[in-house]
Amino acid sequence: MSDEQFDELANAAWRRATKTGSNGGNCLEVAPLSGGRVGIRDSEAPEKAPFVVRPEVWDAFIDGAKKGEFDF
């Protein structure tokens, strides 16, 4: 990881879903990054390297979630 990427991730505006509620915050966090990319990390281990996905990958994930593809 380059210094530029490290700095961007360290200063990213990480956020959790508003429906996280009172479960202690055990969830994923996401952050918008340059070039439309999205960072994804575990809220319980923010010190670990996050996943970074291209905009089209994030869009496909959101589309699938809205369509219920991940529902049990």
Side-chain angles (χ1 to χ4, degrees):
M1 178 182 313
S2 73
D3 288 342
E4 188 174 291
Q5 291 170 326
F6 181 82
D7 288 342
E8 182 176 21
L9 290 167
N11 295 305
W14 295 97
R15 66 180 192 263
R16 296 178 189 167
T18 56
K19 295 192 179 201
T20 298
S22 61
N23 71 355
N26 301 329
C27 59
L28 295 178
E29 296 177 321
V30 298
L33 302 172
S34 62
R37 298 170 304 137
V38 176
I40 306 166
R41 71 180 183 184
D42 182 345
S43 66
E44 290 187 314
E47 72 283 354
K48 292 188 177 179
F51 291 101
V52 176
V53 297
R54 298 182 319 269
E56 57 271 17
V57 172
W58 181 251
D59 291 344
F61 170 74
I62 294 300
D63 184 57
K66 288 179 179 178
K67 290 178 180 175
E69 291 180 20
F70 310 111
D71 295 350
F72 292 102

mmCIF file of all heavy atoms in Angstrom, residues 16-29 42-44:
data_model
loop_
_atom_site.group_PDB
_atom_site.id
_atom_site.type_symbol
_atom_site.label_atom_id
_atom_site.label_comp_id
_atom_site.label_asym_id
_atom_site.label_seq_id
_atom_site.Cartn_x
_atom_site.Cartn_y
_atom_site.Cartn_z
ATOM 1 N N ARG A 16 -21.105 3.892 9.919
ATOM 2 C CA ARG A 16 -21.850 2.643 10.109
ATOM 3 C C ARG A 16 -23.284 2.864 9.675
ATOM 4 O O ARG A 16 -23.763 3.995 9.640
ATOM 5 C CB ARG A 16 -21.840 2.236 11.577
ATOM 6 C CG ARG A 16 -20.474 1.928 12.091
ATOM 7 C CD ARG A 16 -20.528 1.581 13.556
ATOM 8 N NE ARG A 16 -19.160 1.490 14.063
ATOM 9 C CZ ARG A 16 -18.843 1.454 15.323
ATOM 10 N NH1 ARG A 16 -19.791 1.505 16.239
ATOM 11 N NH2 ARG A 16 -17.602 1.375 15.690
ATOM 12 N N ALA A 17 -23.968 1.785 9.432
ATOM 13 C CA ALA A 17 -25.382 1.869 9.070
ATOM 14 C C ALA A 17 -26.168 2.476 10.223
ATOM 15 O O ALA A 17 -25.878 2.204 11.395
ATOM 16 C CB ALA A 17 -25.937 0.490 8.729
ATOM 17 N N THR A 18 -27.174 3.262 9.896
ATOM 18 C CA THR A 18 -28.006 3.862 10.937
ATOM 19 C C THR A 18 -28.803 2.810 11.694
ATOM 20 O O THR A 18 -29.226 3.039 12.812
ATOM 21 C CB THR A 18 -28.976 4.892 10.339
ATOM 22 O OG1 THR A 18 -29.753 4.263 9.322
ATOM 23 C CG2 THR A 18 -28.233 6.072 9.751
ATOM 24 N N LYS A 19 -28.975 1.626 11.109
ATOM 25 C CA LYS A 19 -29.737 0.559 11.770
ATOM 26 C C LYS A 19 -28.864 -0.327 12.639
ATOM 27 O O LYS A 19 -29.309 -1.360 13.120
ATOM 28 C CB LYS A 19 -30.465 -0.278 10.728
ATOM 29 C CG LYS A 19 -31.522 0.535 10.011
ATOM 30 C CD LYS A 19 -32.425 -0.315 9.195
ATOM 31 C CE LYS A 19 -33.460 0.564 8.539
ATOM 32 N NZ LYS A 19 -34.630 -0.150 8.142
ATOM 33 N N THR A 20 -27.621 0.070 12.872
ATOM 34 C CA THR A 20 -26.731 -0.701 13.734
ATOM 35 C C THR A 20 -27.350 -0.875 15.111
ATOM 36 O O THR A 20 -27.277 -1.920 15.704
ATOM 37 C CB THR A 20 -25.358 -0.010 13.852
ATOM 38 O OG1 THR A 20 -24.775 0.052 12.560
ATOM 39 C CG2 THR A 20 -24.446 -0.778 14.781
ATOM 40 N N GLY A 21 -27.962 0.171 15.606
ATOM 41 C CA GLY A 21 -28.689 0.092 16.866
ATOM 42 C C GLY A 21 -27.807 -0.127 18.068
ATOM 43 O O GLY A 21 -26.681 0.331 18.136
ATOM 44 N N SER A 22 -28.322 -0.898 19.012
ATOM 45 C CA SER A 22 -27.641 -1.085 20.289
ATOM 46 C C SER A 22 -26.906 -2.409 20.391
ATOM 47 O O SER A 22 -26.723 -2.942 21.472
ATOM 48 C CB SER A 22 -28.676 -0.985 21.413
ATOM 49 O OG SER A 22 -29.643 -2.010 21.247
ATOM 50 N N ASN A 23 -26.450 -2.946 19.274
ATOM 51 C CA ASN A 23 -25.742 -4.231 19.323
ATOM 52 C C ASN A 23 -24.267 -4.066 19.679
ATOM 53 O O ASN A 23 -23.495 -4.985 19.510
ATOM 54 C CB ASN A 23 -25.892 -4.985 17.995
ATOM 55 C CG ASN A 23 -25.110 -4.354 16.855
ATOM 56 O OD1 ASN A 23 -24.516 -3.293 17.021
ATOM 57 N ND2 ASN A 23 -25.115 -4.992 15.716
ATOM 58 N N GLY A 24 -23.888 -2.901 20.157
ATOM 59 C CA GLY A 24 -22.502 -2.674 20.534
ATOM 60 C C GLY A 24 -21.646 -2.221 19.374
ATOM 61 O O GLY A 24 -20.445 -2.069 19.503
ATOM 62 N N GLY A 25 -22.240 -2.019 18.209
ATOM 63 C CA GLY A 25 -21.486 -1.532 17.068
ATOM 64 C C GLY A 25 -20.726 -2.599 16.318
ATOM 65 O O GLY A 25 -19.796 -2.304 15.595
ATOM 66 N N ASN A 26 -21.078 -3.872 16.513
ATOM 67 C CA ASN A 26 -20.398 -4.962 15.826
ATOM 68 C C ASN A 26 -20.903 -5.041 14.391
ATOM 69 O O ASN A 26 -21.875 -5.715 14.095
ATOM 70 C CB ASN A 26 -20.638 -6.292 16.544
ATOM 71 C CG ASN A 26 -20.149 -6.227 17.970
ATOM 72 O OD1 ASN A 26 -19.209 -5.531 18.277
ATOM 73 N ND2 ASN A 26 -20.797 -6.952 18.835
ATOM 74 N N CYS A 27 -20.237 -4.313 13.514
ATOM 75 C CA CYS A 27 -20.717 -4.252 12.146
ATOM 76 C C CYS A 27 -19.587 -3.835 11.216
ATOM 77 O O CYS A 27 -18.451 -3.671 11.629
ATOM 78 C CB CYS A 27 -21.877 -3.271 12.042
ATOM 79 S SG CYS A 27 -21.432 -1.601 12.546
ATOM 80 N N LEU A 28 -19.949 -3.618 9.984
ATOM 81 C CA LEU A 28 -19.007 -3.096 9.005
ATOM 82 C C LEU A 28 -19.116 -1.590 8.949
ATOM 83 O O LEU A 28 -20.165 -1.023 9.212
ATOM 84 C CB LEU A 28 -19.312 -3.670 7.618
ATOM 85 C CG LEU A 28 -19.120 -5.168 7.460
ATOM 86 C CD1 LEU A 28 -19.507 -5.591 6.048
ATOM 87 C CD2 LEU A 28 -17.695 -5.573 7.762
ATOM 88 N N GLU A 29 -18.017 -0.975 8.578
ATOM 89 C CA GLU A 29 -17.996 0.463 8.336
ATOM 90 C C GLU A 29 -17.575 0.670 6.891
ATOM 91 O O GLU A 29 -16.798 -0.118 6.349
ATOM 92 C CB GLU A 29 -16.995 1.158 9.253
ATOM 93 C CG GLU A 29 -17.343 1.053 10.719
ATOM 94 C CD GLU A 29 -16.297 1.680 11.613
ATOM 95 O OE1 GLU A 29 -15.087 1.546 11.330
ATOM 96 O OE2 GLU A 29 -16.690 2.299 12.607
ATOM 97 N N ASP A 42 -14.027 -3.846 9.309
ATOM 98 C CA ASP A 42 -14.718 -4.392 10.477
ATOM 99 C C ASP A 42 -14.626 -3.368 11.604
ATOM 100 O O ASP A 42 -13.531 -2.943 11.975
ATOM 101 C CB ASP A 42 -14.034 -5.698 10.880
ATOM 102 C CG ASP A 42 -14.693 -6.403 12.048
ATOM 103 O OD1 ASP A 42 -15.517 -5.786 12.753
ATOM 104 O OD2 ASP A 42 -14.374 -7.575 12.266
ATOM 105 N N SER A 43 -15.762 -2.986 12.159
ATOM 106 C CA SER A 43 -15.762 -1.981 13.223
ATOM 107 C C SER A 43 -15.041 -2.461 14.478
ATOM 108 O O SER A 43 -14.575 -1.648 15.272
ATOM 109 C CB SER A 43 -17.190 -1.572 13.581
ATOM 110 O OG SER A 43 -17.890 -2.658 14.161
ATOM 111 N N GLU A 44 -14.927 -3.773 14.657
ATOM 112 C CA GLU A 44 -14.236 -4.313 15.834
ATOM 113 C C GLU A 44 -12.725 -4.374 15.643
ATOM 114 O O GLU A 44 -12.000 -4.595 16.599
ATOM 115 C CB GLU A 44 -14.757 -5.712 16.153
ATOM 116 C CG GLU A 44 -16.174 -5.717 16.672
ATOM 117 C CD GLU A 44 -16.589 -7.102 17.129
ATOM 118 O OE1 GLU A 44 -16.336 -8.083 16.402
ATOM 119 O OE2 GLU A 44 -17.164 -7.184 18.220
#
